[in-house]
Amino acid sequence: MSETEGQETATSPASSEPQDTTAQEVQESAEGATVEEPQNALTEKFTPKEWDALKAFRNEIPDALASAYPDKSDAKTAAINLWGVTIDPSNLLDARVSVVLMKFLRARNLSVSEGKVMFIATLRWRDEFNVEAACKEEFPQDVFGQLGHIYGKDKAGRPVVYNVYGGNQDLKAIFGDVQRFLRWRVAFMEKSIELLDLESTDQMIQVHDYAGVSMTSRDANSKNAASEASSIFSSHYPELLYKKYFINVPSYMTWIFWLFKPLIPSATLAKMSVVGSGASTIGKALLPEIDAKQLPKRYGGEAEAF
């Protein structure tokens, strides 16, 4: 139906389970001394099982880096940057690092071995795809200028990201070069992630607008682009999505969604909503999460936005 970030998620948010550890988790250092576990608003919501998994995961990070970068002799000790966070294998006691690593664990039901595999695969993919270059690439505004918007925040401070696929846009120009579209889409995702401080906010809301999209406008290229994007985001951007709304969805796409609903993991399904057309209908779905002043008028809010 569309790219669906985080489809592999199989656990519920950490906040759904009560926190019964102290505000300052204590960890034994190699010398036997105790050190305070750095905390922020997000790590304070980790459950005891999550802390146990995280501590075990930390021990695997040097080997994971060596596997991700086999050509680098210092891979086990060299720091890397992921989503604006420095991950230093010699000092992993950092709250924001904990938040990033926990995403891979939650995406794999707190399995350290499976989380490690996902982490390695993500680092390898980022190198192969050359995410850094994609983020610096200049994309034609006449093709991509109106395709994506980051506007406003939800009531909990999460950024709201809009993908507008229909309207008067030339879909053949957008999807004519599938790899260019994917580079744009990844760069747009990375730009969205920059708005997550990973201190109090580590997820976003996405709104996918299909107004103007029809069966005839979806050719092989657009289908391939959607499929590849779905694979990228579900495999390499875990637990970054809070909720996703599909709005102005054509009736045929609604039918496809319900057809494949049994195949979608329940945790992912809980994040997804298919909404009809019209500002009033869309507003009823979005306004419980997003204040009217933060929501564009075209979607039932009060904001003068794109």
Side-chain angles (χ1 to χ4, degrees):
M1 178 175 179
S2 164
E3 63 207 64
T4 51
E5 288 82 336
Q7 279 194 345
E8 79 293 341
T9 302
T11 58
S12 58
S15 57
S16 64
E17 195 170 332
Q19 171 69 21
D20 60 6
T21 57
T22 61
Q24 293 293 321
E25 184 77 14
V26 175
Q27 175 172 303
E28 294 291 331
S29 71
E31 293 77 17
T34 59
V35 293
E36 289 187 344
E37 180 76 55
Q39 297 276 1
N40 62 27
L42 295 172
T43 62
E44 286 175 352
K45 296 178 182 178
F46 290 0
T47 68
K49 286 184 178 179
E50 288 176 333
W51 277 115
D52 289 342
L54 176 61
K55 291 173 183 178
F57 194 22
R58 284 172 177 159
N59 293 331
E60 299 294 326
I61 295 303
D63 285 340
L65 294 174
S67 295
Y69 308 112
D71 297 330
K72 296 182 179 179
S73 60
D74 63 345
K76 282 191 174 184
T77 56
I80 65 165
N81 186 284
L82 179 59
W83 304 326
V85 175
T86 298
I87 299 178
D88 183 350
S90 67
N91 181 20
L92 295 169
L93 289 177
D94 178 282
R96 296 175 78 233
V97 172
S98 296
V99 171
V100 169
L101 296 181
M102 184 57 67
K103 291 185 175 299
F104 292 91
L105 290 170
R106 287 176 176 166
R108 292 296 183 258
N109 265 328
L110 300 185
S111 168
V112 174
S113 60
E114 293 181 17
K116 179 181 177 181
V117 169
M118 187 183 194
F119 182 68
I120 293 169
T122 293
L123 297 183
R124 286 177 177 171
W125 168 81
R126 292 179 70 85
D127 252 15
E128 293 167 0
F129 190 90
N130 202 341
V131 172
E132 184 176 348
C135 290
K136 295 177 180 178
E137 186 171 344
E138 294 289 336
F139 298 95
Q141 284 297 302
D142 60 328
V143 177
F144 296 101
Q146 297 303 312
L147 192 59
H149 306 273
I150 304 172
Y151 185 86
K153 297 181 179 181
D154 74 358
K155 294 178 180 179
R158 304 179 189 90
V160 184
V161 181
Y162 298 86
N163 287 96
V164 185
Y165 291 114
N168 297 319
Q169 297 180 89
D170 184 349
L171 297 185
K172 291 189 181 299
I174 293 170
F175 298 111
D177 183 337
V178 172
Q179 292 307 309
R180 183 182 67 172
F181 167 78
L182 292 174
R183 292 195 303 274
W184 172 84
R185 187 64 188 86
V186 165
F188 185 58
M189 183 63 170
E190 293 285 324
K191 183 178 180 181
S192 304
I193 293 172
E194 289 177 4
L195 299 180
L196 305 176
D197 61 15
L198 301 176
E199 297 278 355
S200 59
T201 306
D202 67 338
Q203 291 182 315
M204 66 188 75
I205 285 182
Q206 292 182 346
V207 179
H208 284 219
D209 185 350
Y210 287 88
V213 176
S214 66
M215 286 288 285
T216 56
S217 64
R218 282 180 55 80
D219 59 12
N221 276 3
S222 66
K223 292 175 183 177
N224 288 340
S227 177
E228 288 195 46
S230 177
S231 177
I232 286 172
F233 291 120
S234 63
S235 299
H236 305 307
Y237 290 89
E239 290 292 323
L240 290 164
L241 178 66
Y242 176 67
K243 284 189 177 180
K244 173 174 283 193
Y245 295 91
F246 300 93
I247 65 173
N248 290 317
V249 176
S251 58
Y252 82 90
M253 290 185 68
T254 303
W255 178 80
I256 292 174
F257 173 81
W258 289 109
L259 181 66
F260 285 96
K261 182 178 177 181
L263 304 177
I264 302 173
S266 58
T268 299
L269 192 64
K271 296 182 178 183
M272 298 167 58
S273 297
V274 179
V275 182
S277 302
S280 177
T281 298
I282 296 169
K284 287 180 181 179
L286 298 183
L287 285 170
E289 295 287 346
I290 307 168
D291 187 84
K293 294 181 180 180
Q294 296 285 310
L295 185 65
K297 285 185 175 180
R298 66 196 293 182
Y299 301 134
E302 300 173 2
E304 298 286 352
F306 63 93

